[in-house]
């Protein structure tokens, strides 16, 4: 009997020490949110509509969800912030440089981390509070090639790949411009220098400020092929029967088209010195929020497994909550983050204009 008692006590202690994986908003917050009765969100993803329906069903709080393009969201919040208009209570925004410089810095939005999530969301994703991450990776036609045709980004500047590198026009999507900006940072410029030595067996001779700028110039000079959308790009790259001899840098989620559209697409995970890039979306309160409690409750909900369901049903989107598993067969974000270029909001805000000017001067 004493042995059984000892075992029982040990089990109680063991389970007490286990980390809590299920979090529930406090009754105080729920009641305060319900008393407000509604919440308005501006979002850069249409999937917010499905999350809104589930939130309404769970809490009985009406959600006014508006899907906007990134630049539209930033412009709208800026105007409302300056005029004191109460539009959105919170936003789901991306393009970290602009969010930092045009929304956070002037005080039109501010950071809020739900108390129950403070010990779950990694600290590095809490300010500003990241909601999700999306990946873009180098990809090839797996019918044309049985193995990756390139393993170093500098190979794409070789005459052999002239006119065979696909990329979405960075002037049509801010996150692509942010990627180009980040590779001019000291950290990635150094990695590119080292990768060049491994590729060419000699040091890189610069004709530009650093290796990041040099790679940009050389891919442009090598007749870079630009697309207006990642969907069109994946279709052009992955079509079967055409012996497509090219490489793209585009949205990883398009690999779902291998089944849906019978495309031959495969990522290059072992690309040096990076396999692509990732970018975050953020959950931020607005300074003019009328329904603060409902906004805080919805933010907390979106960071749970239940709230993230509209995004977790496909490849290429990852919650900032590490306890939420990726789509079956996909890598955890912790794996992707080791091989992809990430965004630094402050660096991109301060340097993107220079990179865009350099891009325009090089391409025209």
């Amino acid at each position: 009997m004493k042995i059984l008692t000892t075992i029982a006590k040990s089990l109680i202690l063991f389970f007490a020490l286990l980390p809590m994986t299920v979090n529930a908003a406090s009754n105080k917050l729920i009641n305060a949110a319900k008393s407000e009765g509604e919440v308005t969100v501006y979002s850069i993803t249409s999937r917010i509509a499905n999350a809104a329906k589930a939130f309404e069903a769970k809490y009985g709080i009406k959600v006014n969800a508006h899907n906007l393009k990134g630049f539209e969201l930033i412009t709208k919040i800026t105007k409302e912030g300056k005029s004191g208009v109460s539009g959105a209570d919170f936003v789901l925004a991306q393009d970290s440089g602009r969010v930092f410089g045009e929304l956070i810095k002037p005080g039109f939005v501010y950071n809020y981390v739900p108390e129950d999530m403070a010990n779950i969301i990694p600290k590095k994703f809490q300010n500003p509070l990241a909601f999700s991450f999306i990946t873009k990776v180098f990809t090839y036609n797996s019918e044309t090639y049985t193995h990756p045709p390139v393993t170093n980004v500098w190979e794409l500047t070789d005459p052999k790949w002239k006119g065979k590198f696909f990329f979405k026009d960075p002037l049509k999507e801010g996150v692509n411009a942010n990627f180009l900006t980040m590779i001019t940072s000291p950290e990635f410029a150094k990695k590119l220098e080292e990768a060049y030595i491994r590729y060419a067996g000699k040091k890189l001779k610069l004709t530009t400020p650093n290796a990041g700028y040099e790679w940009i110039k050389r891919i442009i000079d090598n007749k870079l092929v630009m697309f207006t959308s990642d969907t069109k790009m994946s279709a052009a790259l992955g079509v079967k029967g055409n012996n497509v001899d090219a490489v793209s840098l585009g949205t990883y989620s398009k690999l779902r088209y291998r089944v849906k559209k019978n495309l031959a697409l495969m990522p290059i995970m072992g690309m040096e010195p990076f396999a692509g890039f990732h970018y975050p979306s953020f959950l931020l309160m607005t300074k003019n929020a009328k329904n603060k409690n409902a906004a805080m409750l919805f933010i907390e909900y979106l960071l749970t497994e239940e709230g993230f369901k509209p995004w977790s049903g496909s490849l290429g989107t990852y919650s900032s909550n590490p306890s939420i598993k990726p789509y079956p067969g996909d890598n955890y974000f912790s794996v992707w983050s080791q091989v992809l270029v990430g965004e630094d909001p402050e660096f991109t805000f301060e340097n993107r204009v220079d990179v865009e000017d350099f891009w325009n001067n090089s391409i025209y």
Side-chain angles (χ1 to χ4, degrees):
M1 189 70 180
K2 286 184 178 180
I3 293 174
L4 289 174
T5 303
T6 301
I7 292 173
K9 288 181 178 178
S10 297
L11 286 172
I12 291 170
L13 179 61
F14 171 75
F15 286 112
L17 292 174
L18 282 176
M20 293 294 289
T21 56
V22 179
N23 286 274
S26 69
N27 287 330
K28 182 179 179 181
L29 177 60
I30 292 171
N31 291 335
K34 285 183 175 181
S35 70
E36 290 171 345
E38 66 177 323
V39 61
T40 299
V41 54
Y42 296 165
S43 168
I44 44 77
T45 167
S46 59
R47 296 184 189 186
I48 193 66
N50 289 331
K53 287 179 183 178
F55 180 80
E56 286 183 349
K58 185 179 182 72
Y59 293 109
I61 297 170
K62 181 183 176 182
V63 179
N64 305 304
H66 301 270
N67 181 32
L68 304 169
K69 293 181 179 179
F71 71 90
E72 292 174 333
L73 186 152
I74 290 172
T75 299
K76 194 168 178 62
I77 290 296
T78 299
K79 286 182 178 179
E80 291 175 356
K82 287 180 178 178
S83 62
V85 171
S86 295
D89 296 304
F90 77 100
V91 297
L92 174 50
Q94 70 180 34
D95 195 342
S96 63
R98 292 195 65 188
V99 169
F100 171 78
E102 299 177 43
L103 298 184
I104 296 175
K105 223 176 173 185
F108 300 140
V109 298
Y110 65 92
N111 207 47
Y112 164 73
V113 180
E115 185 177 346
D116 287 341
M117 291 293 169
N119 293 322
I120 296 175
I121 307 298
K123 296 294 182 185
K124 61 184 176 180
F125 301 149
Q126 290 190 19
N127 191 17
L129 178 63
F131 167 63
S132 69
F133 300 92
I134 293 176
T135 49
K136 293 202 178 192
V137 301
F138 289 102
T139 307
Y140 66 98
N141 186 301
S142 57
E143 182 185 67
T144 305
Y145 298 101
T146 56
H147 297 90
V150 293
T151 57
N152 189 306
V153 299
W154 289 104
E155 292 180 64
L156 299 172
T157 68
D158 190 282
K160 176 184 176 182
W161 290 94
K162 191 171 186 177
K164 297 179 180 180
F165 178 32
F166 301 169
F167 187 60
K168 185 175 179 181
D169 187 345
L171 300 184
K172 295 189 181 298
E173 186 168 23
V175 295
N176 280 37
N178 289 344
F179 159 68
L180 295 177
T181 303
M182 286 305 304
I183 65 171
T184 69
S185 68
E187 176 188 356
F188 287 103
K190 182 180 179 181
K191 289 182 178 182
L192 280 165
E193 279 189 23
E194 294 168 348
Y196 184 85
I197 294 173
R198 291 192 292 273
Y199 156 71
K202 59 183 180 181
K203 286 187 176 182
L204 175 65
K205 186 176 180 180
L206 292 174
T207 61
T208 59
N210 65 34
Y213 282 102
E214 193 69 27
W215 187 76
I216 293 170
K217 180 179 184 298
R218 294 192 187 190
I219 60 169
I220 290 173
D221 291 346
N222 211 32
K223 304 299 180 184
L224 176 71
V225 181
M226 287 193 293
F227 284 77
T228 56
S229 81
D230 285 296
T231 298
K232 291 177 181 178
M233 186 164 64
S234 64
L237 179 72
V239 63
K240 293 182 177 179
N242 286 8
N243 195 34
V244 178
D245 182 19
V247 169
S248 73
L249 176 51
T251 307
Y252 179 68
S253 65
K254 302 304 178 185
L255 267 71
R256 69 184 184 274
Y257 292 155
R258 289 184 293 193
V259 175
K260 288 187 176 182
K261 298 183 179 181
N262 193 32
L263 297 179
L265 299 168
M266 191 65 68
I268 309 176
M269 288 285 292
M271 197 77 148
E272 290 189 82
F274 42 76
F277 64 99
H278 65 79
Y279 58 94
S281 65
F282 304 106
L283 293 166
L284 295 160
M285 298 282 292
T286 64
K287 76 167 187 177
N288 298 323
K290 286 192 302 184
N291 306 296
K292 292 183 179 180
N293 293 294
M296 290 189 288
L297 183 62
F298 199 0
I299 286 173
E300 182 166 345
Y301 176 75
L302 290 169
L303 293 170
T304 65
E305 185 174 3
E306 180 184 352
F308 197 70
K309 279 184 179 179
W311 290 268
S312 61
S314 61
L315 293 166
T317 303
Y318 316 86
S319 173
S320 61
N321 181 343
S323 69
I324 299 176
K325 295 179 180 179
Y327 186 76
D330 198 351
N331 297 305
Y332 277 85
F333 179 68
S334 58
V335 174
W336 281 117
S337 64
Q338 298 300 309
V339 298
L340 303 180
V341 176
E343 287 187 5
D344 179 326
E346 191 166 356
F347 183 87
T348 55
F349 174 67
E350 293 176 350
N351 295 277
R352 187 166 122 182
V353 170
D354 292 337
V355 174
E356 288 179 337
D357 286 345
F358 179 83
W359 176 274
N360 285 328
N361 291 332
S362 299
I363 208 159
Y364 297 115

